[in-house]
């Protein structure tokens, strides 16, 4: 998982979402509510689809909250690579939010993608480590 959580607020405009993705060369952002808890994920695909919408004159800008996927699947920082890959595969998703364990609401610590797992698996020769130990 990336140790630096790159996120945006629900009210972040589409332009700012694109700028942040470009600036950090990332494919997804965790969307946070006003208290800092995860409420969704915005991917590059979400941004591309939103850009095709026609905006009527007088309407406000499209925000991250309007285009995010509200389905947030979470994994524990101590989950193994195999467990994370299995969770992603069974749910047909490519990203998981790594969250603080035993937290009533989803407090995000990072984001892990299937690409991160594959990269690490290629480098790894011994037993799979926990997500906490990797830096991709």
């Amino acid at each position: 998982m990336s140790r630096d959580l790159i996120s945006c607020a629900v009210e972040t405009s589409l332009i700012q979402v694109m700028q942040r993705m470009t600036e950090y060369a990332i494919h997804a952002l965790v969307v946070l509510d006003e208290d800092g808890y995860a409420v969704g994920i915005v991917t590059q695909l979400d941004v591309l689809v939103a850009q095709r919408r026609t905006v009527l004159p007088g309407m406000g800008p499209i925000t991250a909250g309007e285009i995010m996927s509200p389905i947030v699947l979470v994994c524990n920082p101590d989950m193994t690579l195999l467990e994370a890959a299995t969770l992603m595969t069974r749910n047909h998703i490519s990203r998981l939010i790594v969250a603080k364990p035993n937290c009533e609401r989803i407090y995000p610590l990072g984001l892990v993608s299937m690409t991160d797992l594959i990269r690490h698996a290629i480098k790894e020769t011994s037993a799979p480590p926990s997500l906490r130990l990797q830096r991709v």
Side-chain angles (χ1 to χ4, degrees), residues 5-33:
L5 177 66
I6 302 171
S7 60
C8 66
V10 173
E11 63 276 353
T12 304
S13 72
L14 183 62
I15 303 268
Q16 291 170 322
V17 168
M18 290 187 305
Q19 288 171 343
R20 184 160 291 172
M21 285 182 179
T22 304
E23 178 183 345
Y24 291 100
I26 55 173
H27 302 286
L29 292 173
V30 177
V31 182
L32 306 178
D33 66 9

